[in-house]
Amino acid sequence: MKHILLATTALVATAGIASADLSIGGWAEIGVADNGSGDMQYFQDIDVTFRASGETDGGMSFSAGVDLDENGAFATNTHGGATIGVSGGFGNVTMGDTDGASDWALTETAIGGSMADDHTAHAGYSGNSALDGNEDGQILRWDYSLGAVGVGVSLEQAADGAASTDDDIVQVGLRYSMDMGGSTVGLGVGFADAGNQTVTGAAGDSDHIALSLSMKTTGGLTGVVNFTDGSSAGRDASHLALGLGMTMDALTVGVNYGEHEVAGATASGVGLAVNYNLGGGAVFQVGYGDGEGTDTMSVGLALSF
């Protein structure tokens, strides 16, 4: 009887798997890195991701993913690297470790990759997600695209039970892309209203408006300009960023510059990434970052599975 029950359970489980699309992927990195201390050290990192997707009889698709590089991936009230999405004629609804609508609409200035993220870790860099994750990091976003136009709205709730008086973070994003003689031009606009927020020990009104302009030519040249203006915890804040990259066959070179200004104090930096695609998921990477007196760099292989 026990054997029959086990066999039946296995069949039911297998049937469920067969009706869905399940995949396991990830990446690994191996090389050397200098975190600014002046000494090169061994560097290694590994990440495993699980993805699952399916579709209802009515054509609505759904998916879920978890990143096992993150702690607390399965916690119910934190993002923890987990994301769940539902898509249909109504657009896309995503909850978890995802971008806010402003970040979703904009293009980052980083071009290429580096093992230790040196090109994006300098003092002047912004990934366009200044307010994302300021609460518990669990974001709910709806977005809808029709041809070249896209619109998104997101909400990140104030951390449940937190002692602070932070408010919810509401964002709106708009993006548009067009083909100009073979070159692709993208425009993004982001709005954020976070009310009272606690940022690096200060508290006050936080909001922003952000603009992004990008171009990618058929010759492999990519350029990005970003500008953000608003307030951070009651202080005037702005950010300017430039990115330029070139891809020639297997070689990609990208450089970016950024400058933050908060309450009159500035912080700037520059990042460089040099990538050579070896094929089969292996990329040789060199990364460098220089910002406010701190230099970092890394050299090695990034391996995708």
Side-chain angles (χ1 to χ4, degrees):
M1 181 66 181
K2 182 185 294 185
H3 295 295
I4 294 174
L5 178 60
L6 289 173
T8 303
T9 304
L11 287 172
V12 171
T14 303
I17 293 173
S19 63
D21 183 10
L22 304 176
S23 64
I24 300 176
W27 48 259
E29 296 172 329
I30 180 172
V32 293
D34 177 2
N35 63 4
S37 64
D39 296 323
M40 297 293 286
Q41 299 287 327
Y42 297 143
F43 182 93
Q44 62 173 334
D45 196 8
I46 189 169
D47 187 21
V48 178
T49 56
F50 290 83
R51 296 284 183 267
S53 62
E55 185 173 324
T56 68
D57 293 340
M60 183 180 73
S61 60
F62 49 90
S63 63
V66 62
D67 183 345
L68 296 190
D69 183 56
E70 306 286 347
N71 292 326
F74 296 102
T76 57
N77 61 342
T78 61
H79 70 288
T83 307
I84 298 175
V86 180
S87 301
F90 51 83
N92 308 297
V93 176
T94 311
M95 177 184 288
D97 186 10
T98 191
D99 294 335
S102 179
D103 188 7
W104 168 85
L106 305 182
T107 301
E108 294 190 29
T109 56
I111 299 167
S114 60
M115 291 193 313
D117 299 327
D118 306 278
H119 66 312
T120 61
H122 61 79
Y125 189 77
S126 168
N128 302 325
S129 57
L131 292 170
D132 289 358
N134 203 52
E135 295 305 316
D136 67 4
Q138 189 172 216
I139 295 173
L140 173 64
R141 188 188 73 241
W142 167 81
D143 58 80
Y144 184 86
S145 295
L146 182 62
V149 180
V151 59
V153 180
S154 68
L155 173 67
E156 180 179 357
Q157 294 178 305
D160 188 22
S164 70
T165 57
D166 286 1
D167 296 319
D168 297 341
I169 303 173
V170 179
Q171 300 184 44
V172 177
L174 302 170
R175 63 187 187 188
Y176 176 75
S177 64
M178 55 183 169
D179 190 336
M180 298 182 61
S183 297
T184 302
V185 177
L187 175 65
V189 182
F191 306 89
D193 184 359
N196 187 80
Q197 291 291 309
T198 303
V199 182
T200 61
D205 287 340
S206 297
D207 55 57
H208 75 233
I209 179 172
L211 304 174
S212 172
L213 178 64
S214 64
M215 174 178 284
K216 187 172 183 178
T217 71
T218 54
L221 181 65
T222 301
V224 185
V225 179
N226 287 340
F227 179 72
T228 303
D229 187 55
S231 61
S232 175
R235 303 163 296 181
D236 290 339
S238 63
H239 180 257
L240 173 66
L242 309 171
L244 185 64
M246 185 68 186
T247 297
M248 298 173 290
D249 297 323
L251 178 66
T252 296
V253 178
V255 61
N256 69 82
Y257 171 82
E259 180 177 295
H260 292 279
E261 181 174 350
V262 180
T266 62
S268 62
V270 62
L272 171 69
V274 180
N275 297 171
Y276 190 84
N277 192 340
L278 301 173
V283 180
F284 176 73
Q285 296 184 335
V286 177
Y288 175 74
D290 181 7
E292 302 302 311
T294 300
D295 298 340
T296 68
M297 71 171 298
S298 60
V299 180
L301 290 174
L303 312 169
S304 298
F305 302 98

